[in-house]
Amino acid sequence: MNEIKISLSAYDFNEMLNYAVRYCLERHSYAVWDGQQYIKKYWQLLDNKTKTIIAQDIQRHLDMYEDLQLDYYFKLDYESWANTLNWIQQQPTTPTNNKKSLEIPIISQEKCNAKKS
């Protein structure tokens, strides 16, 4: 089984992605990159409220750690979040997704690994 599809409420999807981003903001591991990729992959599915919250959360994070942006430990994460925020700001404004539920394909780990190779 390489791929499954799930159906969930749009509200739940927006909340889950928002929580994932908030988790990733405080990490200094591969989770940072994963969270940033989730934002880019699913941006068009998010409602405008969630998009605004994610952008504000990233901006707050950058403001909080601005003094540490040159620190070796924080530099890469800081720069990658700044780049993600810049990417968000360049996205065209889209109408709010009014769907009550979303069908999202979930790709198996094997298929995902094959794409990265």
Side-chain angles (χ1 to χ4, degrees), residues 95-106:
T96 297
N97 182 349
N98 291 325
K99 292 183 178 180
K100 293 190 180 202
S101 66
L102 301 170
E103 190 171 281
I104 301 167
I106 306 297

Side-chain angles (χ1 to χ4, degrees), residues 57-100:
D57 285 349
I58 294 171
Q59 185 62 62
R60 254 187 243 107
H61 179 78
L62 293 173
D63 292 345
M64 187 182 325
Y65 291 104
E66 186 173 15
D67 294 342
L68 296 173
Q69 67 181 301
L70 298 179
D71 181 274
Y72 177 78
Y73 185 68
F74 290 101
K75 182 178 178 159
L76 292 176
D77 288 346
Y78 186 94
E79 288 175 356
S80 65
W81 283 117
N83 289 336
T84 300
L85 182 59
N86 184 49
W87 179 89
I88 288 170
Q89 293 167 340
Q90 292 177 14
Q91 297 312 297
T93 304
T94 56
T96 297
N97 182 349
N98 291 325
K99 292 183 178 180
K100 293 190 180 202

Side-chain angles (χ1 to χ4, degrees), residues 33-34 109 111-117:
W33 187 87
D34 287 342
Q109 189 63 42
K111 195 170 183 179
C112 187
N113 289 339
K115 285 183 177 182
K116 291 180 183 179
S117 299

